[in-house]
């Protein structure tokens, strides 16, 4: 699967969870105004929904990082096939490293 497609799918899932959480919160808020006895149950359901959203967000972040790493691997392989030297992923080129302290 193409890395951009994977990232797009992950973003779509994140948007789905966010919209579902907002709609669920609005429904629970409306129900809690009409049924005061339902507040503890509604709160528990809302907290559970938020917890699931946190888990989903972590999964999306993990999937995005995996896609980024795979894209980097493919870019390095492409450069190698062209005979170019591939810089290490952590290599950061700094032209002017003068920001007021000594090393």
């Amino acid at each position: 699967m193409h890395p951009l497609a994977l990232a797009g799918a992950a973003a779509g899932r994140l948007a789905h969870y966010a919209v579902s959480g907002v709609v669920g919160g609005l429904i629970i808020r409306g129900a809690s105004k009409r049924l005061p006895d339902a507040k503890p149950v509604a709160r528990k359901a809302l907290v559970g929904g938020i917890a699931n959203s946190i888990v989903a967000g972590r999964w999306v972040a993990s999937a995005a990082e995996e896609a980024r790493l795979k894209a980097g691997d493919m870019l390095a392989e492409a450069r190698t096939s062209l005979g170019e030297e591939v810089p290490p992923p952590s290599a950061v080129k700094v032209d002017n490293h003068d920001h007021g302290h000594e090393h």
Side-chain angles (χ1 to χ4, degrees), residues 2-75:
H2 194 273
L4 292 178
L6 184 63
R13 284 190 187 122
L14 181 61
H16 167 75
Y17 287 123
V19 170
S20 297
V22 169
V23 170
L26 292 173
I27 290 171
I28 290 173
R29 183 182 294 166
S32 67
K33 287 180 182 177
R34 292 191 176 98
L35 301 170
D37 295 335
K39 278 191 177 183
V41 174
R43 182 179 179 87
K44 184 176 179 180
L46 187 58
V47 169
I50 292 171
N52 287 336
S53 296
I54 291 170
V55 171
R58 289 177 182 165
W59 180 86
V60 168
S62 173
E65 179 66 12
E66 185 177 339
R68 186 190 69 79
L69 291 172
K70 286 182 180 180
D73 288 346
M74 289 188 295
L75 181 61

Side-chain angles (χ1 to χ4, degrees), residues 68 86-94:
R68 186 190 69 79
V86 180
S90 62
V92 177
K93 184 178 179 184
V94 178

